[in-house]
């Protein structure tokens, strides 16, 4: 096939060496059904085509500085934000949201969290770090509120996805098993 100047011809030449065919057969994200098997509790309305919605279990606000050093880290003190009649009314600022579901990241995978788009459309955002293979717990996310918002306790605010990933070892850090009663 001639090179069309858009890189597509080049990629197809790789095909003949088995390069592109390998990556084509390796899907990136798992389906929502697959993800749902690794979370609990999960109801049907949480299962999305490409992931599973996470609910809001608790909100905290940091009150003391934390520290990231070369020899370790500490998470700064926080205070609990109490919902009023089951609703968190959050003024602009940074909060820690705890999710309501226990997640177990299976071998051969890595997890990420995306905000539910309705959260983003309401000027709020959830930031995610990497959810490592082997991690199990009810994790947390940084909830940035850009405009006052009302979030009901237990409402779906985020979506958890699993991507296929190579890894060496499994997560065994300080957050292993966090918030599991
Ligand atoms: O947005 C996120 C991202 C990750 N995690 C969980 C899953 C992850 O496996 C675990 C630890 O994350 P990470 O390895 O980034 O933490 P660390 O700061 O490096 O701590 P440690 O040294 O204990 O690994 O925290 C969350 O709860 N929220």
């Amino acid at each position: 096939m001639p090179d069309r100047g858009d890189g597509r011809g080049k990629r197809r030449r790789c095909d003949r060496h088995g390069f592109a065919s390998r990556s084509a057969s390796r899907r990136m994200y798992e389906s929502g059904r697959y993800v749902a098997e690794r979370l609990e509790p999960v109801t049907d309305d949480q299962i999305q085509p490409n992931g599973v919605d996470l609910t809001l279990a608790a909100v905290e606000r940091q009150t003391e500085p934390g520290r990231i050093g070369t020899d370790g880290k500490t998470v700064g003190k926080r205070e609990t934000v109490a919902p009023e009649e089951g609703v968190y009314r959050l003024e602009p600022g940074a909060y820690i949201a705890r999710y309501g579901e226990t997640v177990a990241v299976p071998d051969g995978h890595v997890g990420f969290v995306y905000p539910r788009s309705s959260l983003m459309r309401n000027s709020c955002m959830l930031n995610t770090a990497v959810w490592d293979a082997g991690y199990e717990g009810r994790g947390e996310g940084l909830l940035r509120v850009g405009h006052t918002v009302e979030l009901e306790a237990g409402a779906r605010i985020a979506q958890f996805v699993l991507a296929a990933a190579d890894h060496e070892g499994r997560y065994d850090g300080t957050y292993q098993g966090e918030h599991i009663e």
Side-chain angles (χ1 to χ4, degrees):
M1 179 185 202
D3 190 341
R4 306 191 321 201
D6 58 2
R8 287 159 77 186
K10 271 197 180 108
R11 244 176 271 142
R12 291 198 186 166
R13 274 205 292 277
C14 287
D15 245 342
R16 277 187 249 138
H17 303 294
F19 185 69
S21 57
R22 263 205 306 277
S23 43
S25 67
R26 180 157 192 186
R27 88 194 152 265
M28 186 176 164
Y29 288 108
E30 299 288 357
S31 69
R33 275 279 156 214
Y34 178 93
V35 177
E37 296 288 309
R38 278 84 193 165
L39 263 74
E40 68 167 16
V42 173
T43 55
D44 272 352
D45 63 346
Q46 285 174 260
I47 304 173
Q48 304 299 331
N50 300 106
V52 172
D53 287 342
L54 296 178
T55 61
L56 180 63
V59 178
E60 294 178 324
R61 192 172 20 220
Q62 190 160 346
T63 54
E64 302 273 341
R67 186 172 196 278
I68 309 283
T70 52
D71 56 349
K73 82 274 181 185
T74 51
V75 174
K77 283 208 175 77
R78 304 171 180 176
E79 62 184 17
T80 301
V81 177
E84 275 179 36
E85 293 179 3
V87 177
Y88 297 96
R89 185 181 165 88
L90 303 176
E91 300 301 326
Y95 301 83
I96 305 297
R98 188 188 309 158
Y99 305 117
E101 292 70 29
T102 300
V103 171
V105 182
D107 285 351
H109 291 83
V110 62
F112 299 103
V113 167
Y114 292 94
R116 195 171 159 195
S117 103
S118 299
L119 190 75
M120 190 190 70
R121 292 165 202 264
N122 273 307
S123 308
C124 300
M125 195 61 190
L126 267 166
N127 292 103
T128 182
V130 169
W131 296 63
D132 305 277
Y135 167 85
E136 191 168 352
R138 290 204 301 158
E140 301 179 336
L142 174 60
L143 172 61
R144 295 176 176 279
V145 174
H147 192 284
T148 304
V149 71
E150 292 186 356
L151 302 176
E152 199 176 328
R156 294 178 290 116
I157 57 164
Q159 186 168 175
F160 184 73
V161 298
L162 282 171
D166 293 330
H167 55 94
E168 284 176 27
R170 307 171 83 235
Y171 182 71
D172 191 24
T174 46
Y175 304 112
Q176 184 65 298
E178 64 183 330
H179 306 308
I180 301 181
E181 283 91 44

